[in-house]
Amino acid sequence: MTTATTPDVWIYVEHLRGAVAPHTYELLGKGRELAAALGGRLIAVLPGHGSRPLAGTLGAADAVVLVEDERLASFSAEAHGAVLAALAAGGMPHLLLCGATSAGIDLAAHLAGALGAPMVVNARALAVDGGTVIATSQLCGGKLLCELEVAPGTIVTALAGAFPADAGMSTREPQVETAEAPEALRQIRTAVTRLLEPSAGDVDITRAGVLVAVGRGIQRKENLPLAEELATLLGGAVCASRPVIDQGWLPLSRQVGKSGLAVKPGLYLALGISGASEHVEGMKDAALIVAVNSDPQAPIFEVAHYGVVGDLFEVVPPLIEALKGRRAQAA
Ligand code: FAD
């Protein structure tokens, strides 16, 4: 266990193919607030290869620590973890924030094991109270929340969408400090050979402002154009519950829920979705949830702001006609 800690907050900068992951800006925004309250600096740690241009986008940090090496070009918990471990040997920060993403979770767990550091997962709120960091962590897929005092020197993974990204974006030119690649990189046993792309050109449902979500109630693949037409008229995209994806009617990149993506649109229109907890976990933070379901007892109505008890094949067509009518009037 690393004993000496500083009041600083470190953010692990996640990046892929020359772009910083949007979630990193959420961490930077929250990190700024926490570092100020702890009386420390906000440091963005950026391991990579040819990644210097990315540092210019991290102006919310007091400093960017850039570690360049060709073995750091692609993410691996072992390689990027070696960088953070070497930096931590000079003093562990009060908090090290990583995204609760596949890379962030992998890295945080690897590092916590390597350093013997405590770890808090799935934080959805972080605050400083009298010098102590308090985290609200989400457990059991969101069924339980746990509030805990975070010891100095803790690694925290934070949920995507938990903090506003705006606060972490700055046009300020950050101070860039270059650090040597650690010796430990020589002993790395894993190497990324190839990145497997998700289906090309698909919609990123995590960025859509309006989502029309279809569940098993859509019945057949041939009925999907109904949802697609509605989504187009609303300026949004179609996503789905797991059974629709499992049938192969839509790609995995459209799945919402525990084993899919977490979304936070302005409007989530759920058509023929029962509202199983594994689905709700991925959409409950939408600003406005409207559900159409023929079963008045469907659990989706417990999270919906507005509900229509009815057959979606009777509800949606008139809605489409009404939207078309409005569009024609506006033209
Ligand atoms: P159903 O539960 O079958 O519900 C269909 C609904 O449609 C019903 O409520 C019915 O009343 C309604 N309906 C039927 N016909 C009509 C009609 N004509 N008009 C209006 N309403 C109609 N699920 C996910 O969605 N995402 C996940 O990421 C996910 N991950 C999982 C991970 C694990 C480990 C496990 C165990 C399960 C996971 N699931 C996930 C599955 C989840 O438990 C549910 O089985 C699934 O969400 C149900 O999908 P559904 O609501 O579309 O189908």
mmCIF file of all heavy atoms in Angstrom, residues 214-219 240-244 246 255-261 271-280 292-296 298-300 308 310-314, ligand 1:
data_model
loop_
_atom_site.group_PDB
_atom_site.id
_atom_site.type_symbol
_atom_site.label_atom_id
_atom_site.label_comp_id
_atom_site.label_asym_id
_atom_site.label_seq_id
_atom_site.Cartn_x
_atom_site.Cartn_y
_atom_site.Cartn_z
ATOM 1 N N VAL A 214 -37.884 -0.002 -28.569
ATOM 2 C CA VAL A 214 -38.851 -1.074 -28.818
ATOM 3 C C VAL A 214 -38.480 -2.310 -28.020
ATOM 4 O O VAL A 214 -37.313 -2.642 -27.848
ATOM 5 C CB VAL A 214 -38.944 -1.433 -30.324
ATOM 6 C CG1 VAL A 214 -39.586 -0.316 -31.110
ATOM 7 C CG2 VAL A 214 -37.588 -1.776 -30.910
ATOM 8 N N GLY A 215 -39.533 -2.982 -27.536
ATOM 9 C CA GLY A 215 -39.347 -4.226 -26.799
ATOM 10 C C GLY A 215 -40.014 -5.369 -27.528
ATOM 11 O O GLY A 215 -40.426 -5.238 -28.689
ATOM 12 N N ARG A 216 -40.143 -6.475 -26.817
ATOM 13 C CA ARG A 216 -40.736 -7.672 -27.424
ATOM 14 C C ARG A 216 -42.138 -7.402 -27.979
ATOM 15 O O ARG A 216 -42.602 -8.077 -28.883
ATOM 16 C CB ARG A 216 -40.797 -8.797 -26.381
ATOM 17 C CG ARG A 216 -40.534 -10.156 -26.986
ATOM 18 C CD ARG A 216 -40.941 -11.280 -26.031
ATOM 19 N NE ARG A 216 -40.257 -11.246 -24.758
ATOM 20 C CZ ARG A 216 -39.225 -12.034 -24.443
ATOM 21 N NH1 ARG A 216 -38.746 -12.876 -25.314
ATOM 22 N NH2 ARG A 216 -38.686 -11.962 -23.241
ATOM 23 N N GLY A 217 -42.781 -6.368 -27.429
ATOM 24 C CA GLY A 217 -44.123 -6.001 -27.902
ATOM 25 C C GLY A 217 -44.154 -5.574 -29.358
ATOM 26 O O GLY A 217 -45.232 -5.517 -29.960
ATOM 27 N N ILE A 218 -43.007 -5.322 -29.967
ATOM 28 C CA ILE A 218 -42.983 -4.938 -31.394
ATOM 29 C C ILE A 218 -43.237 -6.173 -32.278
ATOM 30 O O ILE A 218 -43.535 -6.047 -33.468
ATOM 31 C CB ILE A 218 -41.656 -4.225 -31.773
ATOM 32 C CG1 ILE A 218 -41.782 -3.449 -33.089
ATOM 33 C CG2 ILE A 218 -40.474 -5.161 -31.821
ATOM 34 C CD1 ILE A 218 -42.518 -2.163 -33.030
ATOM 35 N N GLN A 219 -43.093 -7.329 -31.681
ATOM 36 C CA GLN A 219 -43.503 -8.634 -32.255
ATOM 37 C C GLN A 219 -42.657 -9.183 -33.410
ATOM 38 O O GLN A 219 -42.302 -10.341 -33.411
ATOM 39 C CB GLN A 219 -44.975 -8.585 -32.693
ATOM 40 C CG GLN A 219 -45.909 -8.408 -31.524
ATOM 41 C CD GLN A 219 -47.360 -8.245 -31.947
ATOM 42 O OE1 GLN A 219 -47.699 -8.322 -33.123
ATOM 43 N NE2 GLN A 219 -48.218 -8.003 -30.973
ATOM 44 N N ALA A 240 -33.444 -0.507 -28.299
ATOM 45 C CA ALA A 240 -34.282 -1.674 -28.001
ATOM 46 C C ALA A 240 -33.912 -2.345 -26.685
ATOM 47 O O ALA A 240 -32.837 -2.117 -26.129
ATOM 48 C CB ALA A 240 -34.150 -2.688 -29.136
ATOM 49 N N SER A 241 -34.836 -3.185 -26.245
ATOM 50 C CA SER A 241 -34.561 -4.050 -25.101
ATOM 51 C C SER A 241 -33.812 -5.286 -25.626
ATOM 52 O O SER A 241 -33.724 -5.514 -26.834
ATOM 53 C CB SER A 241 -35.865 -4.462 -24.409
ATOM 54 O OG SER A 241 -36.620 -5.267 -25.291
ATOM 55 N N ARG A 242 -33.337 -6.078 -24.700
ATOM 56 C CA ARG A 242 -32.468 -7.195 -25.077
ATOM 57 C C ARG A 242 -33.116 -8.247 -25.985
ATOM 58 O O ARG A 242 -32.460 -8.717 -26.930
ATOM 59 C CB ARG A 242 -31.920 -7.849 -23.801
ATOM 60 C CG ARG A 242 -30.962 -8.958 -24.070
ATOM 61 C CD ARG A 242 -30.127 -9.239 -22.858
ATOM 62 N NE ARG A 242 -29.738 -10.622 -22.824
ATOM 63 C CZ ARG A 242 -28.984 -11.147 -21.876
ATOM 64 N NH1 ARG A 242 -28.570 -10.403 -20.886
ATOM 65 N NH2 ARG A 242 -28.648 -12.400 -21.906
ATOM 66 N N PRO A 243 -34.370 -8.631 -25.754
ATOM 67 C CA PRO A 243 -34.929 -9.670 -26.640
ATOM 68 C C PRO A 243 -34.900 -9.263 -28.112
ATOM 69 O O PRO A 243 -34.690 -10.121 -28.980
ATOM 70 C CB PRO A 243 -36.380 -9.821 -26.139
ATOM 71 C CG PRO A 243 -36.349 -9.356 -24.721
ATOM 72 C CD PRO A 243 -35.316 -8.269 -24.672
ATOM 73 N N VAL A 244 -35.081 -7.992 -28.392
ATOM 74 C CA VAL A 244 -35.069 -7.514 -29.790
ATOM 75 C C VAL A 244 -33.662 -7.667 -30.381
ATOM 76 O O VAL A 244 -33.486 -8.048 -31.537
ATOM 77 C CB VAL A 244 -35.543 -6.033 -29.835
ATOM 78 C CG1 VAL A 244 -35.391 -5.446 -31.230
ATOM 79 C CG2 VAL A 244 -36.982 -5.924 -29.351
ATOM 80 N N ASP A 246 -31.358 -9.803 -29.164
ATOM 81 C CA ASP A 246 -31.043 -11.245 -29.212
ATOM 82 C C ASP A 246 -31.628 -11.916 -30.455
ATOM 83 O O ASP A 246 -31.075 -12.888 -30.963
ATOM 84 C CB ASP A 246 -31.577 -11.951 -27.945
ATOM 85 C CG ASP A 246 -30.737 -11.625 -26.718
ATOM 86 O OD1 ASP A 246 -29.656 -11.018 -26.889
ATOM 87 O OD2 ASP A 246 -31.159 -11.953 -25.594
ATOM 88 N N GLN A 255 -28.667 -1.726 -27.912
ATOM 89 C CA GLN A 255 -29.279 -2.293 -26.697
ATOM 90 C C GLN A 255 -29.111 -1.377 -25.488
ATOM 91 O O GLN A 255 -28.024 -0.920 -25.181
ATOM 92 C CB GLN A 255 -28.670 -3.660 -26.376
ATOM 93 C CG GLN A 255 -29.314 -4.311 -25.149
ATOM 94 C CD GLN A 255 -28.802 -5.696 -24.889
ATOM 95 O OE1 GLN A 255 -28.591 -6.469 -25.816
ATOM 96 N NE2 GLN A 255 -28.604 -6.025 -23.632
ATOM 97 N N VAL A 256 -30.219 -1.182 -24.805
ATOM 98 C CA VAL A 256 -30.218 -0.367 -23.583
ATOM 99 C C VAL A 256 -30.342 -1.291 -22.383
ATOM 100 O O VAL A 256 -31.170 -2.201 -22.390
ATOM 101 C CB VAL A 256 -31.413 0.628 -23.605
ATOM 102 C CG1 VAL A 256 -31.561 1.341 -22.264
ATOM 103 C CG2 VAL A 256 -31.229 1.638 -24.732
ATOM 104 N N GLY A 257 -29.542 -1.052 -21.367
ATOM 105 C CA GLY A 257 -29.712 -1.821 -20.138
ATOM 106 C C GLY A 257 -28.417 -2.354 -19.567
ATOM 107 O O GLY A 257 -27.327 -1.980 -19.995
ATOM 108 N N LYS A 258 -28.576 -3.238 -18.628
ATOM 109 C CA LYS A 258 -27.449 -3.786 -17.857
ATOM 110 C C LYS A 258 -26.329 -4.316 -18.744
ATOM 111 O O LYS A 258 -25.162 -4.023 -18.519
ATOM 112 C CB LYS A 258 -27.979 -4.925 -16.981
ATOM 113 C CG LYS A 258 -27.015 -5.461 -15.961
ATOM 114 C CD LYS A 258 -27.655 -6.639 -15.248
ATOM 115 C CE LYS A 258 -26.880 -7.026 -14.013
ATOM 116 N NZ LYS A 258 -26.993 -6.061 -12.932
ATOM 117 N N SER A 259 -26.704 -5.109 -19.741
ATOM 118 C CA SER A 259 -25.670 -5.664 -20.616
ATOM 119 C C SER A 259 -25.601 -4.895 -21.930
ATOM 120 O O SER A 259 -24.986 -5.349 -22.887
ATOM 121 C CB SER A 259 -25.923 -7.154 -20.859
ATOM 122 O OG SER A 259 -27.278 -7.396 -21.136
ATOM 123 N N GLY A 260 -26.225 -3.709 -21.960
ATOM 124 C CA GLY A 260 -26.143 -2.822 -23.119
ATOM 125 C C GLY A 260 -25.599 -1.478 -22.694
ATOM 126 O O GLY A 260 -24.678 -1.408 -21.882
ATOM 127 N N LEU A 261 -26.203 -0.428 -23.209
ATOM 128 C CA LEU A 261 -25.704 0.911 -22.920
ATOM 129 C C LEU A 261 -26.626 1.660 -21.964
ATOM 130 O O LEU A 261 -27.831 1.391 -21.916
ATOM 131 C CB LEU A 261 -25.589 1.707 -24.232
ATOM 132 C CG LEU A 261 -24.544 1.183 -25.219
ATOM 133 C CD1 LEU A 261 -24.747 1.792 -26.590
ATOM 134 C CD2 LEU A 261 -23.140 1.496 -24.706
ATOM 135 N N LEU A 271 -41.830 1.522 -26.235
ATOM 136 C CA LEU A 271 -42.961 0.864 -26.895
ATOM 137 C C LEU A 271 -42.886 -0.638 -26.674
ATOM 138 O O LEU A 271 -41.940 -1.291 -27.120
ATOM 139 C CB LEU A 271 -42.928 1.143 -28.410
ATOM 140 C CG LEU A 271 -42.876 2.600 -28.860
ATOM 141 C CD1 LEU A 271 -42.732 2.680 -30.378
ATOM 142 C CD2 LEU A 271 -44.119 3.358 -28.398
ATOM 143 N N GLY A 272 -43.857 -1.185 -25.957
ATOM 144 C CA GLY A 272 -43.903 -2.637 -25.753
ATOM 145 C C GLY A 272 -42.718 -3.162 -24.977
ATOM 146 O O GLY A 272 -42.168 -4.214 -25.298
ATOM 147 N N ILE A 273 -42.329 -2.428 -23.958
ATOM 148 C CA ILE A 273 -41.214 -2.847 -23.080
ATOM 149 C C ILE A 273 -41.790 -3.019 -21.677
ATOM 150 O O ILE A 273 -42.464 -2.113 -21.167
ATOM 151 C CB ILE A 273 -40.088 -1.783 -23.076
ATOM 152 C CG1 ILE A 273 -39.432 -1.736 -24.459
ATOM 153 C CG2 ILE A 273 -39.065 -2.056 -21.982
ATOM 154 C CD1 ILE A 273 -38.297 -0.741 -24.584
ATOM 155 N N SER A 274 -41.519 -4.173 -21.062
ATOM 156 C CA SER A 274 -42.153 -4.447 -19.763
ATOM 157 C C SER A 274 -41.580 -3.602 -18.631
ATOM 158 O O SER A 274 -42.283 -3.267 -17.686
ATOM 159 C CB SER A 274 -42.009 -5.931 -19.419
ATOM 160 O OG SER A 274 -40.645 -6.286 -19.342
ATOM 161 N N GLY A 275 -40.270 -3.286 -18.725
ATOM 162 C CA GLY A 275 -39.654 -2.492 -17.659
ATOM 163 C C GLY A 275 -38.924 -3.362 -16.654
ATOM 164 O O GLY A 275 -38.893 -3.049 -15.455
ATOM 165 N N ALA A 276 -38.323 -4.452 -17.129
ATOM 166 C CA ALA A 276 -37.498 -5.297 -16.253
ATOM 167 C C ALA A 276 -36.340 -4.453 -15.710
ATOM 168 O O ALA A 276 -35.866 -3.537 -16.395
ATOM 169 C CB ALA A 276 -36.952 -6.481 -17.055
ATOM 170 N N SER A 277 -35.905 -4.796 -14.490
ATOM 171 C CA SER A 277 -34.879 -3.956 -13.839
ATOM 172 C C SER A 277 -33.612 -3.852 -14.701
ATOM 173 O O SER A 277 -32.968 -2.802 -14.728
ATOM 174 C CB SER A 277 -34.532 -4.509 -12.461
ATOM 175 O OG SER A 277 -34.042 -5.826 -12.589
ATOM 176 N N GLU A 278 -33.281 -4.923 -15.417
ATOM 177 C CA GLU A 278 -32.062 -4.887 -16.245
ATOM 178 C C GLU A 278 -32.191 -3.871 -17.379
ATOM 179 O O GLU A 278 -31.198 -3.336 -17.852
ATOM 180 C CB GLU A 278 -31.765 -6.266 -16.839
ATOM 181 C CG GLU A 278 -31.357 -7.323 -15.830
ATOM 182 C CD GLU A 278 -32.551 -8.023 -15.207
ATOM 183 O OE1 GLU A 278 -33.697 -7.690 -15.584
ATOM 184 O OE2 GLU A 278 -32.342 -8.881 -14.332
ATOM 185 N N HIS A 279 -33.406 -3.631 -17.826
ATOM 186 C CA HIS A 279 -33.617 -2.614 -18.862
ATOM 187 C C HIS A 279 -33.650 -1.216 -18.230
ATOM 188 O O HIS A 279 -32.979 -0.297 -18.702
ATOM 189 C CB HIS A 279 -34.914 -2.872 -19.640
ATOM 190 C CG HIS A 279 -35.114 -1.895 -20.752
ATOM 191 N ND1 HIS A 279 -34.472 -2.012 -21.969
ATOM 192 C CD2 HIS A 279 -35.833 -0.740 -20.820
ATOM 193 C CE1 HIS A 279 -34.797 -0.991 -22.733
ATOM 194 N NE2 HIS A 279 -35.617 -0.203 -22.064
ATOM 195 N N VAL A 280 -34.398 -1.114 -17.149
ATOM 196 C CA VAL A 280 -34.589 0.194 -16.498
ATOM 197 C C VAL A 280 -33.247 0.793 -16.065
ATOM 198 O O VAL A 280 -33.035 1.999 -16.149
ATOM 199 C CB VAL A 280 -35.562 0.046 -15.300
ATOM 200 C CG1 VAL A 280 -35.599 1.296 -14.446
ATOM 201 C CG2 VAL A 280 -36.962 -0.279 -15.822
ATOM 202 N N VAL A 292 -45.632 3.107 -23.630
ATOM 203 C CA VAL A 292 -46.862 2.564 -24.229
ATOM 204 C C VAL A 292 -46.818 1.062 -24.003
ATOM 205 O O VAL A 292 -45.885 0.390 -24.458
ATOM 206 C CB VAL A 292 -46.938 2.865 -25.746
ATOM 207 C CG1 VAL A 292 -48.240 2.299 -26.329
ATOM 208 C CG2 VAL A 292 -46.837 4.367 -26.017
ATOM 209 N N ASN A 293 -47.807 0.561 -23.268
ATOM 210 C CA ASN A 293 -47.828 -0.877 -22.984
ATOM 211 C C ASN A 293 -49.276 -1.318 -22.806
ATOM 212 O O ASN A 293 -50.069 -0.609 -22.180
ATOM 213 C CB ASN A 293 -47.004 -1.174 -21.720
ATOM 214 C CG ASN A 293 -46.653 -2.638 -21.600
ATOM 215 O OD1 ASN A 293 -47.527 -3.500 -21.583
ATOM 216 N ND2 ASN A 293 -45.357 -2.927 -21.533
ATOM 217 N N SER A 294 -49.601 -2.482 -23.340
ATOM 218 C CA SER A 294 -50.989 -2.963 -23.258
ATOM 219 C C SER A 294 -51.332 -3.508 -21.864
ATOM 220 O O SER A 294 -52.499 -3.682 -21.545
ATOM 221 C CB SER A 294 -51.228 -4.040 -24.322
ATOM 222 O OG SER A 294 -50.181 -4.976 -24.283
ATOM 223 N N ASP A 295 -50.299 -3.747 -21.050
ATOM 224 C CA ASP A 295 -50.534 -4.294 -19.707
ATOM 225 C C ASP A 295 -50.462 -3.159 -18.664
ATOM 226 O O ASP A 295 -49.381 -2.600 -18.428
ATOM 227 C CB ASP A 295 -49.449 -5.354 -19.419
ATOM 228 C CG ASP A 295 -49.542 -5.911 -18.012
ATOM 229 O OD1 ASP A 295 -50.490 -5.552 -17.284
ATOM 230 O OD2 ASP A 295 -48.645 -6.690 -17.636
ATOM 231 N N PRO A 296 -51.589 -2.842 -18.026
ATOM 232 C CA PRO A 296 -51.560 -1.737 -17.049
ATOM 233 C C PRO A 296 -50.655 -2.010 -15.852
ATOM 234 O O PRO A 296 -50.236 -1.080 -15.168
ATOM 235 C CB PRO A 296 -53.026 -1.599 -16.608
ATOM 236 C CG PRO A 296 -53.720 -2.839 -17.055
ATOM 237 C CD PRO A 296 -52.923 -3.437 -18.168
ATOM 238 N N ALA A 298 -47.653 -3.348 -16.098
ATOM 239 C CA ALA A 298 -46.246 -3.440 -16.527
ATOM 240 C C ALA A 298 -45.375 -2.512 -15.659
ATOM 241 O O ALA A 298 -45.717 -1.346 -15.452
ATOM 242 C CB ALA A 298 -46.129 -3.055 -18.000
ATOM 243 N N PRO A 299 -44.262 -3.025 -15.156
ATOM 244 C CA PRO A 299 -43.404 -2.219 -14.264
ATOM 245 C C PRO A 299 -42.850 -0.950 -14.915
ATOM 246 O O PRO A 299 -42.440 -0.034 -14.208
ATOM 247 C CB PRO A 299 -42.262 -3.177 -13.891
ATOM 248 C CG PRO A 299 -42.666 -4.515 -14.353
ATOM 249 C CD PRO A 299 -43.792 -4.412 -15.310
ATOM 250 N N ILE A 300 -42.865 -0.894 -16.254
ATOM 251 C CA ILE A 300 -42.343 0.307 -16.914
ATOM 252 C C ILE A 300 -43.112 1.550 -16.463
ATOM 253 O O ILE A 300 -42.560 2.651 -16.407
ATOM 254 C CB ILE A 300 -42.400 0.151 -18.470
ATOM 255 C CG1 ILE A 300 -41.605 1.244 -19.190
ATOM 256 C CG2 ILE A 300 -43.820 0.107 -18.998
ATOM 257 C CD1 ILE A 300 -40.129 1.117 -19.123
ATOM 258 N N VAL A 308 -49.203 5.315 -21.477
ATOM 259 C CA VAL A 308 -50.399 5.051 -22.279
ATOM 260 C C VAL A 308 -50.649 3.553 -22.194
ATOM 261 O O VAL A 308 -49.793 2.761 -22.604
ATOM 262 C CB VAL A 308 -50.178 5.451 -23.764
ATOM 263 C CG1 VAL A 308 -51.436 5.144 -24.582
ATOM 264 C CG2 VAL A 308 -49.798 6.914 -23.884
ATOM 265 N N GLY A 310 -52.214 0.723 -23.774
ATOM 266 C CA GLY A 310 -52.835 0.468 -25.069
ATOM 267 C C GLY A 310 -51.915 -0.329 -25.973
ATOM 268 O O GLY A 310 -50.751 -0.585 -25.639
ATOM 269 N N ASP A 311 -52.475 -0.710 -27.094
ATOM 270 C CA ASP A 311 -51.741 -1.470 -28.100
ATOM 271 C C ASP A 311 -50.887 -0.497 -28.916
ATOM 272 O O ASP A 311 -51.419 0.460 -29.492
ATOM 273 C CB ASP A 311 -52.774 -2.179 -29.003
ATOM 274 C CG ASP A 311 -52.116 -3.088 -30.022
ATOM 275 O OD1 ASP A 311 -50.950 -2.841 -30.382
ATOM 276 O OD2 ASP A 311 -52.781 -4.044 -30.461
ATOM 277 N N LEU A 312 -49.588 -0.743 -28.953
ATOM 278 C CA LEU A 312 -48.714 0.210 -29.641
ATOM 279 C C LEU A 312 -49.078 0.340 -31.114
ATOM 280 O O LEU A 312 -48.868 1.390 -31.725
ATOM 281 C CB LEU A 312 -47.238 -0.166 -29.434
ATOM 282 C CG LEU A 312 -46.644 -1.365 -30.168
ATOM 283 C CD1 LEU A 312 -46.028 -0.941 -31.494
ATOM 284 C CD2 LEU A 312 -45.574 -2.017 -29.311
ATOM 285 N N PHE A 313 -49.656 -0.737 -31.696
ATOM 286 C CA PHE A 313 -50.006 -0.670 -33.114
ATOM 287 C C PHE A 313 -51.259 0.190 -33.352
ATOM 288 O O PHE A 313 -51.557 0.557 -34.476
ATOM 289 C CB PHE A 313 -50.201 -2.089 -33.673
ATOM 290 C CG PHE A 313 -48.933 -2.892 -33.587
ATOM 291 C CD1 PHE A 313 -48.784 -3.872 -32.618
ATOM 292 C CD2 PHE A 313 -47.866 -2.608 -34.432
ATOM 293 C CE1 PHE A 313 -47.600 -4.588 -32.506
ATOM 294 C CE2 PHE A 313 -46.680 -3.321 -34.333
ATOM 295 C CZ PHE A 313 -46.544 -4.314 -33.363
ATOM 296 N N GLU A 314 -51.937 0.512 -32.253
ATOM 297 C CA GLU A 314 -53.064 1.450 -32.372
ATOM 298 C C GLU A 314 -52.636 2.853 -31.963
ATOM 299 O O GLU A 314 -53.186 3.841 -32.446
ATOM 300 C CB GLU A 314 -54.220 0.986 -31.478
ATOM 301 C CG GLU A 314 -54.910 -0.253 -32.022
ATOM 302 C CD GLU A 314 -55.947 -0.808 -31.051
ATOM 303 O OE1 GLU A 314 -56.309 -0.113 -30.081
ATOM 304 O OE2 GLU A 314 -56.377 -1.956 -31.268
HETATM 305 P P1 FAD B 1 -40.997 -8.538 -22.206
HETATM 306 O O1 FAD B 1 -40.591 -8.584 -20.789
HETATM 307 O O2 FAD B 1 -41.486 -9.794 -22.836
HETATM 308 O O3 FAD B 1 -42.122 -7.418 -22.326
HETATM 309 C C1 FAD B 1 -42.842 -7.147 -23.479
HETATM 310 C C2 FAD B 1 -43.873 -6.105 -23.087
HETATM 311 O O4 FAD B 1 -44.568 -5.684 -24.235
HETATM 312 C C3 FAD B 1 -44.907 -6.602 -22.087
HETATM 313 O O5 FAD B 1 -44.946 -5.722 -20.966
HETATM 314 C C4 FAD B 1 -46.233 -6.565 -22.871
HETATM 315 O O6 FAD B 1 -47.323 -6.180 -22.049
HETATM 316 C C5 FAD B 1 -45.936 -5.510 -23.906
HETATM 317 N N1 FAD B 1 -46.672 -5.647 -25.142
HETATM 318 C C6 FAD B 1 -46.859 -6.785 -25.880
HETATM 319 N N2 FAD B 1 -47.566 -6.509 -26.996
HETATM 320 C C7 FAD B 1 -47.815 -5.170 -26.962
HETATM 321 C C8 FAD B 1 -48.491 -4.281 -27.828
HETATM 322 N N3 FAD B 1 -49.008 -4.707 -28.996
HETATM 323 N N4 FAD B 1 -48.581 -2.990 -27.469
HETATM 324 C C9 FAD B 1 -48.060 -2.535 -26.316
HETATM 325 N N5 FAD B 1 -47.388 -3.330 -25.459
HETATM 326 C C10 FAD B 1 -47.271 -4.634 -25.778
HETATM 327 N N6 FAD B 1 -32.835 -6.542 -20.891
HETATM 328 C C11 FAD B 1 -32.624 -5.369 -21.527
HETATM 329 O O7 FAD B 1 -33.556 -4.778 -22.081
HETATM 330 N N7 FAD B 1 -31.369 -4.844 -21.559
HETATM 331 C C12 FAD B 1 -30.307 -5.413 -20.970
HETATM 332 O O8 FAD B 1 -29.194 -4.891 -21.074
HETATM 333 C C13 FAD B 1 -30.506 -6.634 -20.279
HETATM 334 N N8 FAD B 1 -29.500 -7.247 -19.635
HETATM 335 C C14 FAD B 1 -29.748 -8.371 -18.916
HETATM 336 C C15 FAD B 1 -28.720 -8.936 -18.176
HETATM 337 C C16 FAD B 1 -28.958 -10.058 -17.410
HETATM 338 C C17 FAD B 1 -27.831 -10.626 -16.599
HETATM 339 C C18 FAD B 1 -30.243 -10.641 -17.399
HETATM 340 C C19 FAD B 1 -30.535 -11.854 -16.572
HETATM 341 C C20 FAD B 1 -31.266 -10.096 -18.132
HETATM 342 C C21 FAD B 1 -31.047 -8.961 -18.908
HETATM 343 N N9 FAD B 1 -32.044 -8.374 -19.665
HETATM 344 C C22 FAD B 1 -31.814 -7.183 -20.289
HETATM 345 C C23 FAD B 1 -33.346 -9.034 -19.886
HETATM 346 C C24 FAD B 1 -34.434 -8.511 -18.967
HETATM 347 O O9 FAD B 1 -34.438 -9.233 -17.765
HETATM 348 C C25 FAD B 1 -35.822 -8.667 -19.636
HETATM 349 O O10 FAD B 1 -36.002 -10.023 -19.982
HETATM 350 C C26 FAD B 1 -35.992 -7.823 -20.883
HETATM 351 O O11 FAD B 1 -35.656 -6.470 -20.611
HETATM 352 C C27 FAD B 1 -37.456 -7.889 -21.333
HETATM 353 O O12 FAD B 1 -37.571 -7.214 -22.558
HETATM 354 P P2 FAD B 1 -38.974 -6.676 -23.036
HETATM 355 O O13 FAD B 1 -39.513 -5.719 -22.040
HETATM 356 O O14 FAD B 1 -38.803 -6.191 -24.431
HETATM 357 O O15 FAD B 1 -39.840 -8.002 -23.136
#
